[in-house]
Amino acid sequence: MLKNNPINKQLIIPTLIVGLGGYPKAVLPHLDFLFYQYFGERPASVDFVIFDFDEANGEISATGRRFTTQPYLIVLPKKALKDIARKLRRKDRNKFIPWIDTLAGYVDLKQVRYVEGPGLNLLMQTANLAWRLVWSEHIVPQLKARLQNLHPSPQELSRLECKGYSISNRSSIFVIAGGGSTTGPSGLLPILVELKRLKPVDSNVFTILFTPGSYRDKTDEHRKRGRAIFRATVHRLIDLFNGMEFDQPYGRNGYRLRLEGEPFDHLFLIDGSLGGGRAELNTEQLGKLIARLLFKLTTSPLGEKFLGHIGNLNRGLKEV
């Protein structure tokens, strides 16, 4: 635990880390461990949430303590997806799901299949529909609640300062996703659009995207399909940077996501190699590496410099 030393307080940048799918489960337990190792706790101004259709937890054990994703893992239900996938095969489907045609221009409904098992099994149009079915009830409330508490209240700020922390007036939002699987690529763009709409004015959004090169523990077939998914995901992101507008329905109640502009302030592409490919990291090693990066960006002056330069929070300032 930190000592309350007014001369040497520990900098903390308020941070929300949003994970999509399985890869964040390899990162955040290691990041949690770093906070406990150095501070004895994860400060209240640093929050995690993972959205996944697979209920499997990620966890590590270190120094006699267990660090698990269970407290912040939101397992997204697939019951509605299973029911709708079955009804889509009926000729009279509009009788049972009359709203489904509002999604027809955004989801290839003929490609929607439901397969029993964890996750979404590389079925991209199934994933495309799955996110829309859970958006209003499971995604938006979680993001709103966490962003509302991103900057501590005056009372919480005073409590943190008494514990020895110095809280930055800037804040960061990181989105972590695998780029060559299903849940991450299908949920990445809508999550970024929603975060851009909901985030505080003085906060920046950053994306950490694992490339297909990181999927060394997957089958050749998975990696082949993952490369195609990754290319399509990156092309969609580039389209937004080139001026294409995002305007799509999410949910059954007419809720729409809209964005004109850039979906994030900076993108990190992680391929799991070092020294120009001379060394390769496995999933656990890669998780530790990204955890150390996030720890530095959250707890050191490097993080504030990063926000100032790459996050472009110094725009509009005039040199004197």
Side-chain angles (χ1 to χ4, degrees), residues 11-14 151-152 166-171 304 307:
L11 172 68
I12 296 291
I13 298 173
H151 289 274
S166 173
I167 306 301
S168 173
N169 57 5
R170 295 173 169 176
S171 59
E304 287 205 314
L307 287 175

Side-chain angles (χ1 to χ4, degrees), residues 27 43 77 124 153 187 271:
V27 175
M124 288 303 292
S153 65
D271 72 352

Side-chain angles (χ1 to χ4, degrees), residues 214-233:
S214 301
Y215 289 72
R216 294 183 177 85
D217 59 338
K218 302 297 184 181
T219 64
D220 290 343
E221 179 62 23
H222 184 121
R223 296 176 69 179
K224 179 180 177 181
R225 295 175 66 182
R227 285 192 290 270
I229 292 170
F230 179 77
R231 285 195 297 270
T233 302

Side-chain angles (χ1 to χ4, degrees), residues 231-305:
R231 285 195 297 270
T233 302
V234 172
H235 284 156
R236 292 178 69 201
L237 294 174
I238 292 173
D239 286 342
L240 284 178
F241 274 92
N242 288 335
M244 182 177 289
E245 180 184 9
F246 186 95
D247 185 354
Q248 296 193 18
Y250 268 73
R252 319 177 204 192
N253 55 2
Y255 185 82
R256 296 188 75 88
L257 288 175
R258 295 184 176 91
L259 177 68
E260 292 184 34
E262 300 174 352
F264 48 75
D265 297 286
H266 192 72
L267 170 65
F268 297 90
L269 293 176
I270 310 298
D271 72 352
S273 65
L274 296 175
R278 287 190 292 270
E280 296 182 346
L281 302 179
N282 60 34
T283 300
E284 183 178 3
Q285 292 169 330
L286 198 52
K288 289 181 178 179
L289 182 66
I290 302 306
R292 288 189 175 277
L293 170 67
L294 289 167
F295 185 75
K296 282 290 186 184
L297 293 178
T298 306
T299 64
S300 73
L302 172 66
E304 287 205 314
K305 290 181 180 179

Side-chain angles (χ1 to χ4, degrees), residues 13-50:
I13 298 173
T15 300
L16 171 63
I17 300 177
V18 181
L20 307 178
Y23 254 97
K25 298 175 185 177
V27 175
L28 296 187
H30 289 290
L31 181 54
D32 237 353
F33 164 67
L34 290 173
F35 280 114
Y36 277 88
Q37 182 182 30
Y38 285 93
F39 309 143
E41 63 178 357
R42 173 160 36 102
S45 54
V46 178
D47 195 10
F48 302 162
V49 61
I50 295 176

Side-chain angles (χ1 to χ4, degrees), residues 15 59 103 121 135 142 145 167 181 195 201 259 269 286 288:
T15 300
E59 65 177 60
L103 304 180
N121 302 287
W135 200 262
Q142 287 287 339
I167 306 301
S181 52
L195 286 170
V201 174
L259 177 68
L269 293 176
L286 198 52
K288 289 181 178 179

Side-chain angles (χ1 to χ4, degrees), residues 133-145:
L133 296 178
V134 300
W135 200 262
S136 297
E137 184 177 353
H138 297 277
I139 307 300
V140 176
Q142 287 287 339
L143 293 181
K144 283 184 175 180

